[in-house]
Amino acid sequence: MNVRQKLLGGYLLVALMVAATALIAWQADNASAERAAAQEAARVARGIAKDIAHGLPVAGGAVVTPLYYSPAALDSYLQRLHTTQHRDVVVVNQGQYILGDVIAENVGSSFDHDSGDEVGRTIADGEPRVFVETSEDYPDGIKQVVVPIDNRSGLTIGAVILEYTPLYDAMMASARQARTIILSSASVAMLLVLALGFVLARSVTRRITSLTTAVRVIRSGDYSHRVPPTGRDEIGKLAVAVNSMAEKLERSTKEILAKEYTDSILANAGEGICGVDATGRIAFANEAAGRITGLGVDGLLRREAVLVLGSLAAGTTEELLQRPDGTAVRVEYTVSLIEKMGAVIVLRDVSRQRALEYDLRHQALHDGLTGLPNRKLLLDRLEHALVRSRASGEQIALLYLDLDGFKRVNDSLGHNAGDLLLRTAAERLTAVLRPHDTVARLGGDEFAVLLEGASPPVVEALSTACLAALAEPFVVHGREALVTVSVGVVPDAARYADADEVVRNADVAMYAAKDQGKNRYLIFENRMHEQLLSRLDQEARLRAAVHRGELRVHLQPVVNVPENRMHGVEALVRWEDPERGLQPPGTFIPLAEETGMIVEIDRWILREACHAVRQWQLHSPQTAPDWVSVNLSAAHLELADLTDQVAYALAATGLPPQSLVLELTETVLMRDVAVTSARLQELRELGVKIAIDDFGTGYSSLGYLRDIPVDVLKIDRSFITGLVGNGRQQELVSAVMQLGHTLGLRVVAEGVEDADQLALLTVMGCKFAQGYHLGRPEPVGSLYGRLVAA
């Protein structure tokens, strides 16, 4: 608290004491008026109580009857008081029941307007009391006084309640003038005290404030501030002393700051700064310079500058600086010559900046997973190679590689395994190619190889080497994974307009290699581009075929050989292509599997087959097949909601679950035995049967028959084709049938093409067979009509 505040506080305290004295006097006067009003009201009420208890005097000395016992006289008395004296009186008995009231309706009721039971207590102890009656009619309250009614024997027989609000208001009004005088006098006294305190405080504190302000400004570093000299008293002498001190501080500070400012700039600069004298030796160095060079400040001082940096030519230079500890740092330094004094050298450590620039360039042009050049860098190198090839006549070639079966590995073993396989594939490709060849990853499982100085024999040899390198098994997380590669080759690439055309043609050749069976390389031919366009057109039309209703269901009978009658059917899909007519599965199913459309086709054939067979069972149960087999693709088996889809198809068509057989090939079943077994078990719990299709073409081991829940074994047609006249093959087929029967499986021989094969299978004990000899696939209506008519 400053001096001014203390002075003002003292005078304010005096003013508050005056105000407190006035407030006490005001309160005392107010209390006195209230007390006088209550006492006067009580006196009047006692007189009324005496009149009521003893009666009014009557001339002639007659006996006076107390009003208390005469309701009519009491009412007349109260009405007269109300009319002549404007007094409202209520008379109650000892039980607080109203004996008399100006308002006649209240007579006989209980008086309960005293929230503190003042009336009851007055009757009990004979002491007068005051209270405020509140009600809905008088929300501000009515001041009441209650006094006891004592009879001539001194016994309390009731009470008189008198409203004294008018009397209270009159007495408070008479006291208001006195209170006004008290408050006015106190206010004048307070103002005079405060005015005197303000004038004196302002006079003293103005000069003290000037001094404290000067001291605060000087302490903050502004030594130019001065205090105006005022008076010859102690405050004036103190002002002179402060001014003298400020002048001395100002002179000293200017000298100190001049040096500290320069030293601070040099010492705290992020760049290294060295001062070189006229002899070429370092005379000054800051901490940054010592840190960058690794010599420290002491190690730089008096050292020849050329021994540290190598050159003192004016300008900016960048070089690799060797430090005493054996490390190296890339330094950019600028030399500014000062005539007759030497030079100033500013150094910057640009190692991180250059490393970051290199990393950014490398990331922009290289694949993050394998570290190989990416598509952008490949195209850049290919463009330059094309220019060199056209100028020198040197042949160049481009290989476009796509891994076959990579998606299967990625889906079954996980993305981490897929990434490891891609890195290993990149290492193998780099190992079998020449050092100056460029191996690039284009994305996903696609790679490209730029061969410079490569004649056709070299191109073919390196293409074959790539096939061989990637055909070797990959060990991924302790498991073997097999993939192959399809390679599109564009030799003599300089014939084409630009790098984009070369890459496109190599891509087309790669797809042609896939179409021809994968795991091979093909050299680009112009017709391949036309074939690719045709394939894209077919893909677009196939996507729309399901929605346009162009797919058809054909059924092929499965015959019970001993009974020589149809026991079941296999549902096969056909495409009614508006442009090419009815297409067999081999012309579009591979494309559907490659593009993912096979799942949608599988769903359609499942619903249609279930519907067709169920309708047949309802309309002609004697000729209807007991079951229908539907093929499931690998992609469909991997769907999490496969069981729900099958359950929905059965529920929607009404086909009994035991009438549906789902066929999967050995290869599909063995992709992940644990997952496959769990999925097939879910389907079997619906009541659906599971069949192994094309048995014998996939895995040579029969052990998986024990682990995978299946119901039907279908022997592949390749075993039946050469069956007649081949004793070894007959023994093999017979063994497979016996194995199936032993395991409780239904065994079906596929591909029965003639009577000799059927006869031989009958001798072997084959119970079920299908093939063109027993019935070709045909539309549902055709097969139904033929069997019903028979």
Side-chain angles (χ1 to χ4, degrees):
M1 183 179 292
N2 56 36
V3 174
R4 182 180 183 183
Q5 291 172 336
K6 291 179 180 179
L7 290 172
L8 289 177
Y11 285 102
L12 179 61
L13 180 60
V14 174
L16 290 176
M17 292 176 65
V18 173
T21 302
L23 182 61
I24 292 171
W26 183 85
Q27 288 287 355
D29 184 72
N30 192 58
S32 176
E34 289 182 351
R35 194 163 48 251
Q39 290 174 351
E40 178 62 21
R43 186 188 64 77
V44 173
R46 286 192 187 93
I48 295 173
K50 183 177 180 182
D51 290 343
I52 293 172
H54 299 162
L56 296 175
V58 178
V63 177
V64 179
T65 301
L67 300 179
Y68 181 86
Y69 299 107
S70 176
L74 177 62
D75 180 66
S76 175
Y77 177 72
L78 296 180
Q79 292 294 340
R80 186 166 62 253
L81 288 176
H82 176 72
T83 302
T84 60
Q85 299 182 19
H86 302 291
R87 301 185 188 279
D88 290 337
V89 180
V90 178
V91 180
V92 298
N93 60 14
Q94 286 181 312
Q96 299 186 31
Y97 285 96
I98 299 175
L99 300 177
D101 193 347
V102 175
I103 301 173
E105 290 81 359
N106 293 338
V107 176
S109 62
S110 175
F111 185 85
D112 57 1
H113 299 300
D114 54 337
S115 58
D117 193 28
E118 286 82 358
V119 174
R121 287 188 289 158
T122 296
I123 292 173
D125 59 14
E127 294 295 329
R129 286 180 174 81
V130 295
F131 64 92
V132 178
E133 175 187 344
T134 56
S135 63
E136 294 181 358
D137 296 332
Y138 304 103
D140 294 335
I142 302 172
K143 294 185 181 300
Q144 304 273 30
V145 62
V146 55
V147 298
I149 302 176
D150 296 332
N151 59 17
R152 288 186 173 90
S153 301
L155 297 177
T156 300
I157 59 175
V160 170
I161 303 163
L162 171 67
E163 177 190 353
Y164 73 99
T165 300
L167 177 63
Y168 174 85
D169 292 340
M171 298 192 77
M172 292 302 291
S174 63
R176 190 173 295 118
Q177 182 176 4
R179 290 198 300 271
T180 302
I181 294 172
I182 291 172
L183 291 178
S184 299
S185 301
S187 299
V188 171
M190 285 177 61
L191 291 175
L192 289 175
V193 170
L194 291 175
L196 178 62
F198 180 78
V199 172
L200 293 176
R202 184 176 181 183
S203 173
V204 173
T205 57
R206 182 172 60 249
R207 298 172 66 193
I208 295 177
T209 300
S210 178
L211 282 173
T212 56
T213 301
V215 172
R216 186 167 55 251
V217 172
I218 293 171
R219 186 175 59 187
S220 68
D222 183 6
Y223 302 126
S224 61
H225 190 78
R226 299 293 182 269
V227 181
T230 55
R232 298 180 179 274
D233 55 5
E234 288 79 1
I235 297 178
K237 295 177 180 178
L238 183 58
V240 173
V242 169
N243 289 339
S244 176
M245 176 187 67
E247 290 175 0
K248 295 178 180 179
L249 288 174
E250 184 177 14
R251 286 194 300 268
S252 300
T253 301
K254 288 181 179 179
E255 297 173 358
I256 295 171
L257 286 178
K259 186 177 185 303
E260 287 185 352
Y261 184 71
T262 303
D263 292 344
S264 177
I265 291 176
L266 296 176
N268 296 312
E271 292 84 4
I273 301 175
C274 296
V276 182
D277 60 19
T279 65
R281 294 183 179 276
I282 298 175
F284 168 81
N286 65 354
E287 292 290 338
R291 184 180 64 253
I292 292 172
T293 60
L295 295 169
V297 175
D298 294 337
L300 284 173
L301 295 178
R302 306 312 304 163
R303 184 184 292 265
E304 291 188 27
V306 294
L307 297 179
V308 178
L309 301 174
S311 173
L312 285 182
T316 301
T317 306
E318 183 175 321
E319 66 179 30
L320 192 65
L321 180 65
Q322 295 294 330
R323 290 172 167 171
D325 60 2
T327 60
V329 60
R330 183 158 292 279
V331 176
E332 179 185 85
Y333 61 92
T334 301
V335 179
S336 300
L337 299 178
I338 302 176
E339 188 176 357
K340 297 181 181 180
M341 296 184 64
V344 174
I345 305 173
V346 179
L347 305 93
R348 281 197 315 127
D349 182 357
V350 295
S351 302
R352 294 184 61 187
Q353 179 181 340
R354 298 295 180 260
L356 180 60
E357 292 171 355
Y358 173 81
D359 288 343
L360 291 175
R361 286 195 301 269
H362 189 273
Q363 292 174 17
L365 299 175
H366 290 77
D367 174 52
L369 177 64
T370 62
L372 296 177
N374 61 11
R375 180 184 292 270
K376 183 176 181 180
L377 182 55
L378 174 71
L379 291 174
D380 180 72
R381 290 186 180 179
L382 182 55
E383 287 286 3
H384 286 86
L386 290 173
V387 173
R388 290 193 298 271
S389 177
R390 290 166 185 150
S392 64
E394 183 181 64
Q395 291 184 331
I396 63 173
L398 184 70
L399 311 183
Y400 200 111
L401 302 88
D402 184 272
L403 300 182
D404 307 321
F406 173 75
K407 184 178 184 300
R408 182 179 68 251
V409 175
N410 211 33
D411 292 344
S412 60
L413 300 182
H415 292 287
N416 289 337
D419 290 347
L420 178 58
L421 190 148
L422 289 173
R423 287 194 292 269
T424 306
E427 293 170 359
R428 291 186 184 183
L429 289 174
T430 304
V432 300
L433 295 169
R434 301 171 299 177
H436 62 275
D437 295 329
T438 297
V439 182
R441 183 185 177 217
L442 304 182
D445 58 353
E446 295 182 342
F447 295 85
V449 179
L450 172 60
L451 304 175
E452 298 189 58
S455 61
V458 172
V459 173
E460 293 182 9
L462 293 176
S463 299
T464 302
C466 291
L467 290 174
L470 297 181
E472 294 293 326
F474 290 81
V475 178
V476 180
H477 295 166
R479 302 184 65 175
E480 279 196 358
L482 295 175
V483 298
T484 56
V485 64
S486 299
V487 185
V489 183
V490 177
D492 195 12
R495 294 178 298 167
Y496 302 102
D498 54 26
D500 288 331
E501 185 178 1
V502 175
V503 173
R504 185 199 68 188
N505 292 340
D507 190 17
V508 170
M510 181 271 293
Y511 275 108
K514 282 187 175 292
D515 289 340
Q516 290 192 17
K518 304 178 181 178
N519 193 26
R520 67 193 64 215
Y521 73 86
L522 285 182
I523 297 175
F524 174 75
E525 299 176 8
N526 289 330
R527 63 176 178 81
M528 292 179 179
H529 190 256
E530 297 174 359
Q531 292 173 349
L532 179 62
L533 293 178
S534 175
R535 180 179 181 278
L536 294 174
D537 176 65
Q538 183 185 17
E539 180 182 337
R541 289 186 292 106
L542 180 58
R543 286 188 182 278
V546 177
H547 306 291
R548 290 201 298 250
E550 297 174 3
L551 298 182
R552 303 287 182 265
V553 175
H554 284 202
L555 300 179
Q556 183 176 25
V558 178
V559 175
N560 185 316
V561 176
E563 298 177 6
N564 193 28
R565 74 174 183 86
M566 184 187 74
H567 208 71
V569 292
E570 180 178 356
L572 302 170
V573 66
R574 300 290 188 268
W575 177 18
E576 191 71 52
D577 189 346
E579 297 183 7
R580 302 179 182 179
L582 190 65
Q583 300 293 307
T587 61
F588 64 90
I589 290 299
L591 177 61
E593 290 177 340
E594 185 178 338
T595 58
M597 289 185 289
I598 189 63
V599 173
E600 191 171 359
I601 294 175
D602 279 355
R603 289 174 181 168
W604 182 87
I605 192 69
L606 175 64
R607 292 193 301 269
E608 291 298 317
C610 290
H611 175 74
V613 171
R614 181 54 182 166
Q615 293 302 309
W616 191 345
Q617 291 175 345
L618 292 174
H619 292 89
S620 180
Q622 299 83 3
T623 62
D626 294 338
W627 79 83
V628 58
S629 297
V630 179
N631 292 279
L632 284 185
S633 64
H636 207 170
L637 182 63
E638 293 172 355
L639 294 179
D641 63 342
L642 172 61
T643 305
D644 295 336
Q645 291 182 26
V646 174
Y648 175 77
L650 293 172
T653 60
L655 183 71
Q658 63 270 19
S659 294
L660 177 62
V661 179
L662 299 177
E663 295 188 8
L664 300 101
T665 64
E666 284 184 280
T667 305
V668 171
L669 287 171
M670 294 301 295
R671 293 179 76 167
D672 191 329
V673 175
V675 175
T676 301
S677 298
R679 185 64 51 80
L680 296 183
Q681 188 58 41
E682 291 178 3
L683 293 170
R684 293 187 75 198
E685 289 174 359
L686 293 177
V688 174
K689 306 297 183 182
I690 305 298
I692 301 179
D693 195 16
D694 301 336
F695 180 79
T697 61
Y699 289 78
S700 58
S701 172
L702 300 178
Y704 71 91
L705 290 175
R706 177 193 58 208
D707 303 322
I708 297 180
V710 295
D711 305 283
V712 181
L713 196 66
K714 302 189 75 173
I715 302 175
D716 186 67
R717 67 181 60 252
S718 62
F719 290 94
I720 308 302
T721 301
L723 187 65
V724 178
N726 188 333
R728 186 178 181 84
Q729 191 158 330
Q730 292 173 15
E731 292 177 359
L732 178 60
V733 172
S734 178
V736 171
M737 285 193 293
Q738 293 300 321
L739 174 64
H741 293 153
T742 301
L743 295 174
L745 305 179
R746 180 194 304 157
V747 181
V748 180
E750 294 184 294
V752 178
E753 306 293 335
D754 54 47
D756 292 339
Q757 293 173 346
L758 181 61
L760 192 55
L761 289 169
T762 303
V763 172
M764 292 180 182
C766 179
K767 295 181 180 180
F768 298 96
Q770 72 179 100
Y772 281 6
H773 178 68
L774 299 171
R776 291 176 175 270
E778 57 184 305
V780 178
S782 173
L783 180 61
Y784 172 80
R786 182 166 59 81
L787 293 181
V788 171

